[in-house]
Amino acid sequence: MKITVNGDPVEIEAGSVTAVLAKLGYGDTKVATAVNGVFVPASQRDDTALVAGDALEIVAPRQGG
Amino acid sequence: MKITVNGDPVEIEAGSVTAVLAKLGYGDTKVATAVNGVFVPASQRDDTALVAGDALEIVAPRQGG
Amino acid sequence: MKITVNGDPVEIEAGSVTAVLAKLGYGDTKVATAVNGVFVPASQRDDTALVAGDALEIVAPRQGG
Amino acid sequence: MKITVNGDPVEIEAGSVTAVLAKLGYGDTKVATAVNGVFVPASQRDDTALVAGDALEIVAPRQGG
Amino acid sequence: MRQFYGTSLATPFMLGTAQYPSPAILADAFRQSAASVATVSVRRESAGERAGTAFWSMIRDLDVHVLPNTAGCHSASEAVTTAKMARELFETDWIKLEVIGHTDSLQPDPFGLVDAARQLVADGFKVFPYTTEDVVLADRLLDAGCEVLMPWGAPIGTGLGLINPYGLRSLRAQFPDVPMVIDAGLGVPSQAAQAMEMGFDAVLLNTAVAKAGDPVMMAVAFARAIEAGQAAVRADPMTPRDMAAPSTPLIGKAFLT
Amino acid sequence: MRQFYGTSLATPFMLGTAQYPSPAILADAFRQSAASVATVSVRRESAGERAGTAFWSMIRDLDVHVLPNTAGCHSASEAVTTAKMARELFETDWIKLEVIGHTDSLQPDPFGLVDAARQLVADGFKVFPYTTEDVVLADRLLDAGCEVLMPWGAPIGTGLGLINPYGLRSLRAQFPDVPMVIDAGLGVPSQAAQAMEMGFDAVLLNTAVAKAGDPVMMAVAFARAIEAGQAAVRADPMTPRDMAAPSTPLIGKAFLT
Amino acid sequence: MRQFYGTSLATPFMLGTAQYPSPAILADAFRQSAASVATVSVRRESAGERAGTAFWSMIRDLDVHVLPNTAGCHSASEAVTTAKMARELFETDWIKLEVIGHTDSLQPDPFGLVDAARQLVADGFKVFPYTTEDVVLADRLLDAGCEVLMPWGAPIGTGLGLINPYGLRSLRAQFPDVPMVIDAGLGVPSQAAQAMEMGFDAVLLNTAVAKAGDPVMMAVAFARAIEAGQAAVRADPMTPRDMAAPSTPLIGKAFLT
Amino acid sequence: MRQFYGTSLATPFMLGTAQYPSPAILADAFRQSAASVATVSVRRESAGERAGTAFWSMIRDLDVHVLPNTAGCHSASEAVTTAKMARELFETDWIKLEVIGHTDSLQPDPFGLVDAARQLVADGFKVFPYTTEDVVLADRLLDAGCEVLMPWGAPIGTGLGLINPYGLRSLRAQFPDVPMVIDAGLGVPSQAAQAMEMGFDAVLLNTAVAKAGDPVMMAVAFARAIEAGQAAVRADPMTPRDMAAPSTPLIGKAFLT
């Protein structure tokens, strides 16, 4: 299916957020996620299925003011 | 019935806003009115009946900044 | 003799300030004069002789702030 | 003779600044002196005679801003 | 000069009508200053008092635009009802919208202000909102349908002048096409001239005139200052510079030493 | 309005004559602004040039008081000789005394200024010293026989306005009876109004008018601002306050909630 | 020193972590200035990038309180989602809430700010709202459950200092018991000292340190200035006066003329 | 840090010794603030009083540089005699030269100041003249042989801070190599930091510390502020800008709406 990951179009096999993160190669990187603008806690990534057209955001700690 | 007129308790015979204004002696004084915080246009004073406990406000032009 | 007039070297015949002004062609132009930094009133121009090396300043009204 | 010491009139026997300081009881107090507005260095107190009408100022260290 | 809801004002001077020593002095202040807008309010009238009628006829004789206010209102609904009563009494759809959010500073309440503005615009009012220099609030008021903004110079009645010139400049720059009136807080005419020089379109004040020793003369003083600031903008002022530059040319200076 | 050496000015506006786009614009600026004093200078004249005559007749036609300056002089003796030449040419004993002590800021030289002032007063001049806000220097100039002071607002030609209001206020307060003119440094009319509001008796400027996009309109703008500030002082302004105070009375406000 | 949500800070200095020449300089700036709070953000991470992990371990080594922000969010919902992601990543319920309403000035959006604050407080966050000096907005934020306020000194990154001291003083006076942090707009240490002298409880900045020629030295400079201002308040400053008063006693002065 | 007549000071903080609640508090203020220079005066001593000896031994124990003043002198000759008495008593050729020209403002007398400075330099003194921001006067003092200048921030004892920043900046810029001390008029530490940020080399004050509720804490506060300002100059501050600029990078921001 087609989704967007951090703004880029990606063709990937359907699955949970956890599965998609794994396929994308995030491994155990410390990230936080949101789908279609809604926060998905790590605890709910297994139970959150991504469907075609979903927008997945994957963020990590950065510098800030 | 008892109503308040410009904050003061008044004992007066029931009636329309027009009737009450007349009884209070406003005659043809140029005033604007509100009942219980809601504006009552001059055109609707005849049709607006006052009931016990109503708060009638009667205002006129004044200095302002 | 050599004198300087408004900063420029001038070769001119010796004489009074009045005579020099005339020779320089100021005619009746409204000017004020100073010789070697000292004011020479119009009334004293006839009696003020210029000698070689003198610095003659000739000024007139101008814009000012 | 009459002199003024720090602004006050004093009747005292004539003598040098050194002598007068001693008579006034300054002993070995660390002070600086001026007579009639003129500084008198410690080194010159012996040789500086006070005469009637002199104004002697005797100062010492104080707080300052 | 920018128009206010399609109206061109004869002068960019809006003047309040409160706190004058006498009605005669008030009228004289308007006549001699040529102020083009008078702010007014509505207040309780007792039977037979007829104070309103007297005041109203006096104002009408001034032959100026009347701008009723909602002074003292602390909620949107109060302000809306007051505006409606004012519209009926003064027969104008202009309203100076005040929704006070803070008693000590009489600061506008950004939230109640936008709420009331939206309701009044929907009801056909031409809203002149008394606001702060906040650009986001200004944006909301414009979204709500306001076509004029009236940012404060300083809190009402303080006479402190323009306390936040940087903020006012940013506001002016952000909405170059919106008519803006500096409303409240001015104490002396130079501050009104400064407001006009900053590009504001008009000035509204009351206390500084009414509470002056000579209100008529002070009204004229403000009128002159406002003209001065307005003309200055049109005349395109010099650019300030840090280093001095002689005004009298040095060239041709006599050498005298 | 205080007199300047016994002369009452029609308006407290003194205007320079340098740097205008054209003589016609200069003349128009004076006529429309009703400036009452024109500052002028003396500069070298070539034989047959007759520029001075043309300028002088133009100034005379303005029918204003003429105040010659000693602009560009860096020593007392230079200034004194220049003043004497100016007196002969302009047939006035008024002199705007400038003794420049610092080239970048064109700041007056306190020492040369007092020296020149003393010499000129002794020679019968009516001296208008261009000075700073320094109260001790002011005292010396008054001792020297000056009956007018002309403190700067800011360095000549900067257009920065009144850079040291505290110092200028102290100077004004220290010599309440001395006529004082704010001379130089102003850029926009509000600054001239402020100077008058502070109690100064007149304003002298040049660059802000001559270098404006429209010098005539700017001259008028300054004239209005000066009137405004002068009237404000007479009208006795309100006292500024830190806390807000409603202009529209709260009493009688309808209770609507 | 007031507490922030029950936490006492070792120093009232909050420092940003962006724009430093290098991580080493950033770490050194924190260590040498003893800043007690570090602001951070969340940004997109690519697979295998692991930049977040590196940054996060570096911050953890600083052993300071971490205050994540919602920088760049222009709506309440965006800010709320960002806050939740930040809480999970940084394992703290502290959030510096930014809801930007105006791109040029980066001014907070009063409406979105209150909306987001309400949602976040309900969700258990300890909200540090980046706000203006608006007292009514402050009141709304406190109603929404904020226990700290972070008014701006000037727009983010300008280094202009406290552009509206009057407004900030009014805000401070209006809520004497609320911990307040001056956040953004400072350029030099004297401005941080001034903020503390005005009674604010802490200062938060980033650009002025990170963009200084020597960020570490500048961080220390700000730390000293903040200490200075804080101590000044405790030491009870003299009251300023308009007239001079000798510090050295006149009594006992020798009469020498 | 620039040297003062060849002497490098441990800290750029000069502190007065007058008006303290007690000698113990005075001593503590010096010790805890590490002020490096103490100003003192000479006053009349009565026979047997020995107050001078006690004070002097206390000052000596502080182990700081001593800078005697000529406070209260209104003429050059008075100041010169006072300086000579001070040199003998304090065994130093340093002298803070005060020649007061105006009683209300305690403003220096430019004329007497230069006269006295010339005499004292000729007599071997190292003169620290208390002066104004006047650049021409500064030039004269340097001509007279002064190698240090001490411009006022505001009139002595007012605590108003730097009343003429433009003038002080011009002075600093005009003589980049001359050690300059801001002397008098400061009220709070932020003003001292500002003075150092402007490039001045040291700060001298007395009243703001001695008259604070807690003089020792206030002395420390000023010491910190002076360090802050000094470090800020070395650290090369950011350039202020009118428009905002985000500190947190926008790049990588999650898209959440």
Side-chain angles (χ1 to χ4, degrees), chain E residues 18 43-44 69 72 78 82 104 156 158 189-190 197 213-214 217 221 228 234-236 240-241 244-245 247-249 252-253 256, chain F residues 18 43-44 69 72 78 82 104 156 158 189-190 197 213-214 217 221 228 234-236 240-241 244-245 247-249 252-253 256:
Chain E
R43 288 294 182 257
R44 286 168 168 173
N69 68 29
E78 225 190 341
T82 302
D104 293 354
I156 296 170
T158 57
S190 58
E197 286 164 359
D214 182 335
M217 184 177 284
R234 292 187 186 145
D236 183 15
R241 33 177 294 151
S247 48
T248 305
K253 193 189 153 301
L256 298 168
Chain F
R43 289 294 183 254
R44 285 168 169 174
N69 69 30
E78 225 190 340
T82 302
D104 293 354
I156 296 170
T158 57
S190 58
E197 286 164 359
D214 182 337
M217 184 177 284
R234 291 189 188 143
D236 183 15
R241 33 178 293 151
S247 49
T248 305
K253 194 188 152 301
L256 299 168

Side-chain angles (χ1 to χ4, degrees), chain C residues 6-7 24-26 28-34 37-43 45 57-65, chain F residues 16-18 39-52 55-56 69 81 84-85 88-91 96 98 206:
Chain C
N6 285 347
L24 291 168
Y26 280 87
D28 62 352
T29 317
K30 184 182 187 59
V31 294
T33 54
V38 178
F39 173 57
V40 177
S43 57
R45 289 182 196 154
E57 290 285 340
I58 307 165
V59 301
R62 284 290 189 282
Q63 296 73 6
Chain F
T17 59
T39 52
V40 295
S41 73
V42 300
R43 289 294 183 254
R44 285 168 169 174
E45 178 98 336
S46 323
E49 181 183 12
R50 298 191 162 287
F55 174 71
W56 181 218
N69 69 30
T81 301
K84 290 174 178 174
M85 296 195 292
E88 187 177 86
L89 284 170
F90 295 107
E91 295 152 13
K96 175 184 168 182
E98 292 183 45
N206 186 344

Side-chain angles (χ1 to χ4, degrees), chain F residues 19-52:
Chain F
Q19 302 181 291
Y20 291 79
S22 76
I25 288 173
L26 158 59
D28 208 20
F30 272 84
R31 294 220 169 74
Q32 295 202 32
S33 69
S36 62
V37 174
T39 52
V40 295
S41 73
V42 300
R43 289 294 183 254
R44 285 168 169 174
E45 178 98 336
S46 323
E49 181 183 12
R50 298 191 162 287

Side-chain angles (χ1 to χ4, degrees), chain H residues 215-242:
Chain H
V216 177
M217 184 177 285
M218 188 59 87
V220 173
F222 270 96
R224 291 295 151 277
I226 291 165
E227 287 170 44
Q230 187 179 33
V233 171
R234 292 188 186 144
D236 183 15
M238 65 178 283
T239 306
R241 32 177 295 151
D242 236 38

Side-chain angles (χ1 to χ4, degrees), chain F residues 82-117:
Chain F
T82 302
K84 290 174 178 174
M85 296 195 292
R87 176 166 59 179
E88 187 177 86
L89 284 170
F90 295 107
E91 295 152 13
T92 176
D93 51 10
W94 281 18
I95 189 73
K96 175 184 168 182
L97 180 59
E98 292 183 45
V99 182
I100 300 307
H102 181 237
T103 313
D104 293 354
S105 64
L106 300 175
Q107 193 208 293
D109 168 359
F111 302 86
L113 189 61
V114 170
D115 177 359

Side-chain angles (χ1 to χ4, degrees), chain G residues 18 43-44 69 72 78 82 104 156 158 189-190 197 213-214 221 224 228 234-236 240-241 244-245 247-249 252-253 256, chain H residues 18 43-44 69 72 78 82 104 156 158 189-190 197 213-214 217 221 227-228 235-236 240-241 244-245 247-249 252-253 256:
Chain G
R43 288 295 180 255
R44 285 169 169 172
N69 69 29
E78 224 190 342
T82 302
D104 293 355
I156 295 170
T158 58
S190 58
E197 286 164 0
D214 183 336
R224 291 295 151 282
R234 291 190 187 143
D236 182 15
R241 33 176 294 149
S247 48
T248 305
K253 194 190 152 297
L256 298 168
Chain H
R43 287 296 181 254
R44 285 169 168 173
N69 69 28
E78 225 190 341
T82 302
D104 293 354
I156 296 170
T158 58
S190 58
E197 286 164 359
D214 182 338
M217 184 177 285
E227 287 170 44
D236 183 15
R241 32 177 295 151
S247 48
T248 304
K253 193 190 153 298
L256 298 168

